[in-house]
């Protein structure tokens, strides 16, 4: 692309323009929100982990919320759009090790770097609400909230088999272990298992509400809700008691009570109290229990287990069935005991085959099932579907569902709901996190750090292979708050997901010194209206944040806020140019810094927002970047030329040409201005709707079309200055949320007051019947193109468009209502006078799948007259628009409502 000297003069220099407007916004406090604002629009992006480097995923995430926040602000909303730093965590410790510094200095330096980059991107945050989780001013409230949770009975200290990453030397939550291979989420090392005492938040107490409330979160993507449902893993079943030897009644939990007659053995988890009792008298069992407790559970086969020599009584059959201790029964799931039905459960089947236990079928496929009962051989494989009961005595013939319902009463059981969700172990044996505010005293046990001694601040960092807190002797040894004797601090720190579980509440009152947040204000400002972040947080962060919100509401720190986020969007990935995930190792990463330097922040923002809807992934494209950059320069030039009062009509442009030497021959200037005015209104309406729906790419497409129209308008005629300016102002405003710096430049050139960031959003009512009119114009232009191409007309001189007669419009009106079109039309007395022509037209319409709505003839005529200049410019021909009366009969007879007849003369 070559540029003329004049064009270069008219290009903006992003290096000069962008910092200038950033300073102007800052000066005008555009993004500040007063504490006394009432229920502002709360727009939030998941705060970043402080890696120090902004990547394209960040840029996309934060451009989405920034554009939406700016849009809402221009619509007159008070907008809360804060930013903070998720700044605790292992990578800072690793970085400190690598660079021989400490996590604090490293993190603070990263924060400064990232804040600068955010400012350079033009992201408008209320920086006075900045929250930094690694500052004692923040994390003291983690400690205080921990004590609140404890008071509410939601903190437990449990010994548990935990996931241990040998490389990170830390315990991982289940959510931090990935895939079948059980890899560490941070470093991909296969994890081990260790038994340790840990602090747990008992999120399971909220399992039911966390599950049920998902139904009401209709502003969330369905896949995220489904992932949370699966994670919580509700199982509806029943519990029933079996007599086990001399050990009395043992409760089991089952979701398949219908199969109880087929129970041929009984199984206990190694940790079950009865298994432990048996182990006391039975060496073989004792040996197995000990082995199972030490083993990595995933190393054990499903068939791993030991016969106890004991028998349980099946209450359904009265039979004595052997009791095993087997590792595949989990202590913490259900009751830790189950009856096994090898005929109808895959795991039980495998176990029974290995241990040579009876397999007894009690369910067969029902008549309407796909499987044929004769083809089912439970000796070969378990039949796990529901069906009809057999070999179940008087209950034969019941369906599985009926049996499950009836057996609860028959066997004196009870309905029960179990969850797969586990309690949340928050202890981490690492330095860079919130110290858990507990002290261990030999005499008093665990004692809370009193409020007046909060925060428990981190000691100086020391380099050690283990936990630096454990090595901080002076820090670690304190007096017991209860008895004054020598005691030891808890040296574990909190999972950093605690930090991110309530940070959105701290933004409400970030400097509050006597509480984590202002209850009254938080109750008014929450929930977050729009939350945007990555899908990788679907079950961890988003579930914990929901849990925290419910708890703080229950302990009266909030007033009736049960869910933190009303609307959730997970942005898609930004892929490398080759369509692969961007990564340093693949060499296909694009640095935001480089793009800002080369093209400016607005170009990056515009490209990203035009490339795809927020949820979709897209590949980086240099052509796309170039296109965004050119568009911004073009609109800047167009606006500048208008502002300078330069000839509104470009003399050097001939794209499309006009009929006779640059003069238009048809359509009054008023008609053209009317057309443009309607397009301006329609664009504002369309863009508004698309912004509301988070379809920024569609909104931006509308802006591009408007700018292109204004350019053609200027080329076609002397534009009406007022209309033209309104078009430019509208385009500048609609563009400003996404390209805010260029938006301000345009606004300034148009000599408008103040900042576009604070200007009013354009009025957004589409003209009446705009869609119908647009379809009419587009179809007509398409038809002219077809004729010119098909007939091979090189230089059309006159194009005549004739509108259909009134009676055809009447036929369409009847046809749209009638089930049986032809008789309905022919029974109409008015239309009978048109005889065969009316019948033929009715038949044509009857053959169509659907009949579109049309404008009445006089409005169709007016619409075509307004749009005639576009046809004229496209084909370089005179355009004549005629009513049915004006047109000659031959031509008029070919016209249909919504489809004018076309005659082209060379
Ligand atoms: Zn690891
Ligand atoms: Zn004590």
């Amino acid at each position: 692309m070559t540029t003329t000297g004049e064009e270069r003069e008219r290009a903006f220099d992003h290096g000069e323009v962008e910092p200038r407007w950033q300073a102007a916004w800052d000066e005008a406090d555009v993004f500040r929100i007063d504490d006394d604002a009432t229920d502002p629009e709360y727009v939030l992006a998941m705060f970043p982990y402080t890696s120090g480097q902004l990547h394209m995923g960040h840029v996309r995430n934060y451009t989405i919320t920034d554009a939406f926040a700016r849009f809402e602000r221009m619509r007159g909303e008070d907008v809360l759009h804060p930013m903070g730093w998720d700044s605790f965590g292992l990578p800072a410790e690793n970085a400190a090790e690598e660079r021989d510094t400490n996590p604090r200095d490293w993190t603070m330096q990263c924060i400064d770097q990232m804040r600068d980059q955010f400012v350079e991107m033009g992201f408008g945050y209320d920086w006075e609400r900045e929250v930094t989780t690694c500052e004692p001013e923040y994390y003291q409230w983690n400690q205080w909230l921990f004590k609140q949770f404890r008071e509410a009975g939601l903190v437990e200290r449990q010994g548990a088999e935990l996931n241990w990453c040998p490389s990170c030397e830390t315990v991982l939550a289940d959510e931090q272990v990935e895939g079948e291979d059980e890899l560490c989420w941070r470093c991909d090392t296969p994890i081990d298992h260790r038994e340790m005492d840990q602090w747990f938040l008992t999120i399971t107490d909220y399992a039911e509400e966390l599950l049920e409330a998902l139904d009401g979160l209709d502003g969330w993507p369905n896949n995220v809700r489904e992932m949370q449902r699966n994670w919580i893993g509700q199982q509806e079943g029943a519990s029933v008691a079996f007599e086990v030897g001399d050990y009395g009644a043992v409760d089991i939990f089952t979701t398949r009570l219908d199969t109880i007659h087929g129970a041929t053995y009984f199984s206990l988890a190694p940790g079950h109290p009865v298994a432990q009792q048996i182990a006391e008298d039975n060496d073989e069992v004792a040996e197995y229990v000990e082995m199972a407790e030490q083993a990595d559970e995933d190393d054990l086969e499903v068939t791993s287990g030991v016969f106890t020599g004991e028998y349980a009584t099946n209450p359904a059959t009265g039979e004595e069935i052997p009791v095993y201790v087997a590792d595949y029964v989990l202590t913490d799931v259900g009751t830790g005991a189950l009856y096994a039905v090898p005929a109808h459960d895959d795991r039980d089947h495998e176990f029974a085959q290995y241990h040579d236990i009876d397999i007894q079928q009690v369910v067969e496929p029902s008549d309407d099932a796909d499987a044929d009962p004769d083809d089912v051989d439970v000796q070969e494989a378990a039949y796990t579907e529901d069906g009809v009961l057999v070999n179940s005595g008087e209950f034969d013939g019941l369906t599985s569902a009926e049996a499950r319902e009836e057996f609860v009463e028959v066997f004196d059981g009870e309905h029960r709901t179990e969850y797969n969700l586990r309690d949340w172990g928050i202890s981490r044996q690492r330095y860079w996190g919130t110290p858990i505010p507990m002290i261990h005293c030999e005499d008093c046990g665990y004692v809370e750090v009193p409020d007046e001694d909060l925060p428990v601040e981190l000691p100086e960092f020391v380099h050690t292979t283990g936990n630096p807190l454990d090595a901080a002797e002076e820090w670690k040894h304190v007096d017991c708050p209860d008895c004054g004797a020598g005691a030891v601090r808890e040296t574990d720190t909190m999972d950093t997901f605690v930090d991110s579980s309530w940070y959105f509440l701290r933004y409400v009152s970030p400097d509050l010194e006597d509480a984590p947040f202002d209850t009254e204000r938080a109750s008014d400002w929450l929930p977050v209206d729009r939350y945007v972040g990555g899908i990788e947080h679907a079950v961890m962060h988003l579930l914990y944040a929901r849990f925290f919100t419910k708890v703080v509401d229950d302990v009266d720190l909030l007033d009736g806020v049960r869910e933190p986020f009303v609307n959730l969007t997970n942005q898609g990935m930004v892929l490398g140019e080759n369509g692969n995930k961007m990564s340093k190792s693949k060499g296909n990463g694009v640095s935001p810094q480089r793009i800002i330097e080369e093209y400016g922040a607005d170009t990056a923002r515009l490209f990203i927002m035009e490339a795809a809807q927020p949820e979709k992934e897209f590949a980086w494209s240099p052509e796309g970047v170039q296109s965004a950059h050119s568009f911004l320069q073009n609109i800047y030039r167009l606006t500048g030329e208008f502002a300078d009062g330069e000839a509104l009509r470009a003399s050097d442009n001939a794209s499309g040409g006009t009929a006779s030497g640059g003069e238009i021959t048809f359509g009054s200037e008023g008609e053209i201005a009317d057309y443009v005015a309607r397009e301006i209104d329609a664009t504002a309406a369309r863009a508004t709707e698309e912004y509301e729906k988070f379809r920024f790419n569609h909104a931006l497409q509308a802006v591009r079309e408007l700018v292109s129209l204004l350019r053609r308008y200027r080329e076609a005629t002397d534009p009406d200055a007022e209309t033209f300016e309104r078009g430019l102002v509208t385009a500048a405003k609609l563009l400003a949320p996404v390209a805010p710096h260029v938006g301000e430049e345009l606004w300034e050139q148009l000599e408008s007051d103040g900042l576009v960031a604070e200007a009013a959003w354009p009025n957004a009512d589409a003209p009446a019947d705009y869609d119908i009119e647009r379809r009419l114009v587009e179809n007509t232009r398409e038809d002219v193109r077809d004729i010119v191409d098909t007939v091979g007309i090189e230089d059309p001189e006159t194009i005549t468009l004739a509108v259909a007669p009134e009676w055809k419009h009447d036929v369409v009106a009847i046809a749209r209502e009638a089930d049986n079109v032809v008789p309905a039309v022919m029974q109409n007395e008015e239309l009978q006078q048109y005889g065969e022509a009316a019948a033929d037209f009715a038949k044509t319409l009857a053959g169509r799948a659907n009949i579109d709505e049309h404008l009445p003839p006089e409005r169709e005529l007016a619409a075509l007259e307004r749009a005639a200049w576009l046809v004229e410019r496209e084909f370089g021909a005179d355009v004549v628009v005629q009513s049915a009366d004006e047109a000659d009969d031959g031509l008029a007879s070919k016209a249909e409502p919504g489809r004018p007849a076309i005659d082209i003369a060379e």
Side-chain angles (χ1 to χ4, degrees):
M1 191 177 79
T2 59
T3 46
T4 64
E6 194 187 346
E7 277 176 339
R8 214 172 297 120
E9 209 170 283
R10 286 228 176 262
F12 64 86
D13 170 11
H14 60 263
E16 184 272 321
V17 162
E18 292 185 347
R20 183 154 51 78
W21 289 113
Q22 287 152 16
W25 297 325
D26 200 29
E27 178 82 3
D29 274 345
V30 171
F31 311 114
R32 288 278 300 130
I33 178 157
D34 284 342
D35 284 344
D36 55 16
T38 305
D39 192 19
E41 180 81 9
Y42 193 167
V43 182
L44 187 65
M46 291 180 189
F47 66 169
Y49 176 71
T50 47
S51 62
Q53 278 306 318
L54 215 57
H55 56 66
M56 278 302 166
H58 289 129
V59 173
R60 186 177 197 193
N61 193 164
Y62 304 138
T63 301
I64 293 166
T65 54
D66 190 53
F68 192 75
R70 287 171 178 274
F71 163 66
E72 288 290 2
R73 190 175 295 106
M74 289 175 74
R75 291 217 292 182
E77 292 281 342
D78 284 327
V79 177
L80 172 60
H81 186 224
M83 182 43 75
W85 313 103
D86 187 14
S87 47
F88 267 144
L90 195 52
E93 269 178 82
N94 295 341
E97 291 285 350
E98 276 166 33
R99 291 166 181 78
D100 201 28
T101 170
N102 66 73
R104 161 165 297 277
D105 290 349
W106 160 256
T107 301
M108 290 306 167
Q109 181 200 324
C110 289
I111 289 175
D112 287 344
Q113 224 166 296
M114 291 175 84
R115 195 191 297 105
D116 285 350
Q117 288 179 310
F118 281 0
V119 171
E120 282 175 32
M121 281 304 302
F123 298 147
Y125 300 121
D126 183 349
W127 284 113
E128 301 210 3
R129 295 183 182 278
E130 184 177 4
V131 154
T132 306
T133 59
C134 67
E135 303 267 29
E137 291 73 27
Y138 184 84
Y139 70 68
Q140 63 178 325
W141 299 113
N142 285 343
Q143 296 170 341
W144 187 85
L145 286 166
F146 176 87
K147 292 174 66 180
Q148 295 288 311
F149 275 54
R150 199 156 176 267
E151 199 166 303
L154 295 166
V155 175
E156 279 181 13
R157 187 150 176 91
Q158 308 170 0
E161 184 179 87
L162 294 175
N163 310 304
W164 173 261
C165 173
S167 169
C168 300
E169 297 188 325
T170 192
V171 172
L172 302 174
D174 288 343
E175 298 90 327
Q176 294 168 327
V177 176
E178 295 180 334
E180 300 243 320
D181 299 338
E182 303 207 292
L183 303 178
C184 168
W185 71 309
R186 285 267 197 229
C187 72
D188 287 345
T189 303
I191 59 145
D192 293 341
H193 296 268
R194 286 193 181 184
E195 173 88 14
M196 283 183 220
D197 274 352
Q198 301 279 288
W199 296 103
F200 282 82
L201 301 184
T202 55
I203 188 173
T204 50
D205 291 355
Y206 283 75
E208 188 179 352
E209 192 192 341
L210 286 167
L211 180 73
E212 280 173 5
L214 286 169
D215 293 341
L217 291 179
D218 42 23
W220 282 38
N222 281 330
N223 62 332
V224 174
R225 291 196 284 174
E226 200 50 31
M227 284 162 86
Q228 292 210 350
R229 279 189 197 104
N230 290 336
W231 192 261
I232 296 167
Q234 188 185 57
Q235 296 176 320
E236 295 288 358
S239 64
V240 171
F242 276 54
E243 289 293 330
V244 176
D246 297 331
Y247 299 91
V250 173
D251 271 340
I252 60 90
F253 171 78
T254 179
T255 58
R256 289 297 304 270
L257 192 55
D258 54 317
T259 63
I260 189 168
H261 292 82
T264 54
Y265 69 96
F266 192 87
S267 218
L268 294 165
H272 194 282
V274 172
Q276 306 263 332
Q277 279 178 44
I278 296 173
E280 283 172 20
D281 306 326
N282 182 323
D283 290 346
E284 216 183 324
V285 173
E287 211 171 287
Y288 180 78
V289 166
E290 194 181 335
M291 186 276 295
E293 276 175 355
Q294 281 172 4
D296 178 342
E297 67 191 46
D298 304 291
D299 291 345
L300 297 176
E301 302 288 330
V302 169
T303 53
S304 155
V306 64
F307 175 48
T308 61
E310 302 288 337
Y311 289 86
T313 311
N314 183 339
T317 60
E319 280 169 22
E320 298 286 302
I321 57 175
V323 176
Y324 284 77
V325 174
D327 183 67
Y328 80 86
V329 187
L330 300 176
T331 308
D332 56 350
V333 175
T335 59
L338 54 81
Y339 67 70
V341 187
H344 303 293
D345 180 277
D346 289 328
R347 272 180 336 181
D348 297 350
H349 194 272
E350 199 177 337
F351 190 93
Q353 279 192 325
Y354 184 85
H355 293 272
D356 205 16
I357 302 169
D358 274 358
I359 299 173
Q360 174 70 42
Q361 180 173 14
V362 291
V363 174
E364 67 174 25
S366 62
D367 291 345
D368 54 355
D370 290 338
D372 182 337
D374 293 339
D375 293 341
V376 172
D377 179 359
V378 297
Q379 302 305 322
E380 283 301 312
Y383 177 72
T384 58
E385 304 293 313
D386 275 6
V388 176
L389 267 57
V390 293
N391 302 323
S392 300
E394 56 181 303
F395 305 106
D396 283 1
L398 288 182
T399 65
S400 291
E402 288 163 352
R404 280 196 288 269
E405 196 53 45
E406 210 170 318
F407 286 0
V408 173
E409 227 164 275
V410 172
F411 301 112
D412 203 19
E414 56 186 39
H415 289 287
R416 211 162 134 158
T417 305
E418 291 285 331
Y419 298 92
N420 288 333
L421 183 69
R422 305 270 68 91
D423 283 333
W424 175 14
I426 59 158
S427 300
R428 297 290 179 274
Q429 291 68 45
R430 303 302 312 185
Y431 170 80
W432 196 230
T434 303
I436 295 172
M438 299 300 291
I439 290 168
H440 188 254
C441 167
E442 288 290 337
D443 291 334
C444 311
Y446 277 100
V447 180
E448 291 181 358
V449 174
D451 281 358
E452 60 269 25
D453 292 343
L454 295 184
V456 178
E457 289 198 43
L458 284 169
E460 285 294 306
F461 179 69
V462 289
H463 292 271
T464 158
T465 50
N467 178 356
L469 291 185
D470 222 17
E473 293 294 332
E474 207 175 310
W475 175 87
K476 197 166 79 169
H477 294 285
V478 288
D479 294 339
C480 169
D482 276 6
C483 72
V488 180
R489 284 192 192 281
E490 170 61 79
T491 57
D492 285 351
T493 53
M494 293 184 196
D495 182 359
T496 56
F497 279 108
V498 172
D499 311 351
S500 53
S501 290
W502 68 280
Y503 76 108
F504 46 89
L505 288 160
R506 185 68 180 169
Y507 286 135
V508 163
S509 45
D511 304 318
L512 198 62
E513 285 178 5
D514 55 5
F517 50 86
D518 182 299
T519 292
E520 196 183 328
R521 196 181 307 149
S523 303
D524 180 41
W525 287 13
L526 270 280
V528 172
D529 296 287
R530 295 276 180 169
Y531 198 36
V532 181
I535 186 72
E536 67 273 20
H537 293 298
V539 282
M540 292 190 256
H541 163 57
L542 288 170
L543 193 63
Y544 295 150
R546 294 182 61 218
F547 165 53
F548 257 67
T549 303
K550 291 176 193 305
V551 174
V552 295
D553 190 52
D554 283 338
V555 300
D556 292 335
L557 291 167
L558 281 174
D559 184 11
V561 180
R562 301 304 291 179
E563 288 288 340
F565 316 119
V566 179
N567 294 294
L568 173 71
T569 300
N570 300 118
Q571 84 276 2
M573 262 201 287
V574 183
L575 302 171
E577 235 183 285
N578 48 14
N580 293 326
K581 198 173 166 179
M582 276 193 190
S583 79
K584 269 188 192 146
S585 60
K586 285 184 193 137
N588 65 344
V590 178
S591 132
Q593 202 63 39
R594 187 177 66 74
I595 299 297
I596 294 173
E597 277 161 24
E598 199 171 337
Y599 296 101
D602 278 358
T603 294
R605 295 171 60 124
L606 179 62
F607 163 63
I608 282 173
M609 295 295 260
E610 282 189 316
Q613 284 178 32
E615 302 83 0
K616 305 266 192 270
E617 63 180 26
F618 70 90
W620 189 262
S621 142
E623 296 78 24
V625 173
Q626 193 59 55
S627 160
H629 190 63
S630 305
F631 173 69
L632 292 175
Q633 294 290 8
N634 285 342
I635 186 173
Y636 178 82
R637 202 176 304 127
L638 187 67
T639 306
E641 284 163 6
F642 172 80
D644 291 354
E646 288 177 20
L648 277 171
R649 189 185 323 158
S651 53
D652 59 345
N653 197 311
S655 68
T658 50
S660 46
E663 289 301 313
I664 61 155
T665 57
F666 178 85
S668 73
E669 287 180 3
E671 275 165 349
I672 301 176
D674 281 351
Y675 179 88
V676 174
R678 286 171 62 87
E679 289 294 318
I680 293 167
D681 290 338
T683 303
R686 183 175 152 206
T688 304
E689 196 187 330
E690 301 292 4
Y691 265 105
E692 281 171 350
K693 291 182 178 165
F694 257 48
R695 291 192 305 217
F696 305 98
N697 55 332
H698 292 182
L700 294 163
Q701 183 57 36
V703 178
R704 279 196 185 237
E705 284 167 18
L706 175 60
V707 172
S708 157
L709 177 73
L710 292 173
R711 188 174 295 284
R712 279 176 292 157
Y713 181 27
R714 189 184 65 165
E715 285 160 3
T717 182
D718 277 330
D720 170 59
E722 205 178 304
T723 305
F724 198 78
E725 179 168 22
R726 193 164 74 85
L728 290 173
V729 165
T730 303
K733 285 178 169 179
L734 299 180
L735 184 64
V738 174
H741 310 90
V742 173
E744 296 293 356
E745 282 294 310
L746 303 177
W747 187 246
E748 189 181 52
Q749 285 177 326
L750 293 164
E751 292 186 82
S752 308
D753 286 339
L755 294 160
V756 75
E758 294 180 312
W761 192 251
N763 181 18
D765 288 330
D769 297 327
Y770 171 78
D771 289 340
I772 303 175
E773 177 168 335
R774 183 158 175 119
R775 196 171 60 230
L776 166 73
V777 171
E778 277 172 6
N779 285 345
T780 303
R781 292 175 69 185
E782 188 68 30
D783 285 349
V784 174
R785 258 171 239 143
D786 277 352
I787 294 168
V788 168
D789 286 351
T790 314
V791 183
I793 303 169
E794 296 218 331
D795 187 17
E797 191 167 322
T798 307
I799 299 171
T800 307
L801 306 175
V803 172
E806 181 104 39
W807 68 264
K808 280 197 175 177
H809 284 81
D810 295 342
V811 173
V812 167
I814 291 168
R816 279 173 59 80
E817 299 295 318
D819 292 329
N820 221 335
V821 174
V822 180
V825 168
M826 295 323 292
Q827 278 156 23
N828 183 295
E829 281 181 26
E830 294 282 310
L831 292 173
Q832 279 166 7
Q833 60 178 303
Y834 302 101
E836 224 166 285
D840 285 349
F841 188 47
K843 275 180 213 156
T844 308
L845 292 177
R848 288 182 191 165
N850 57 321
I851 303 164
D852 290 331
E853 203 182 336
H854 304 298
L855 298 170
E858 63 286 355
R859 295 202 21 222
E860 193 168 311
L861 186 75
L864 289 170
E865 282 176 346
R866 275 197 294 272
W869 67 285
L870 289 169
V871 180
E872 202 160 71
R873 282 183 49 74
E874 181 173 349
F875 300 98
D878 291 345
V879 173
V880 180
V881 181
Q882 295 176 327
S883 68
D885 290 344
E886 292 163 338
D888 73 55
D889 290 348
L891 185 63
S893 69
K894 290 183 208 149
E896 282 183 23
R899 204 117 214 178
I902 298 166
D903 178 70
I904 303 178
E906 284 191 78

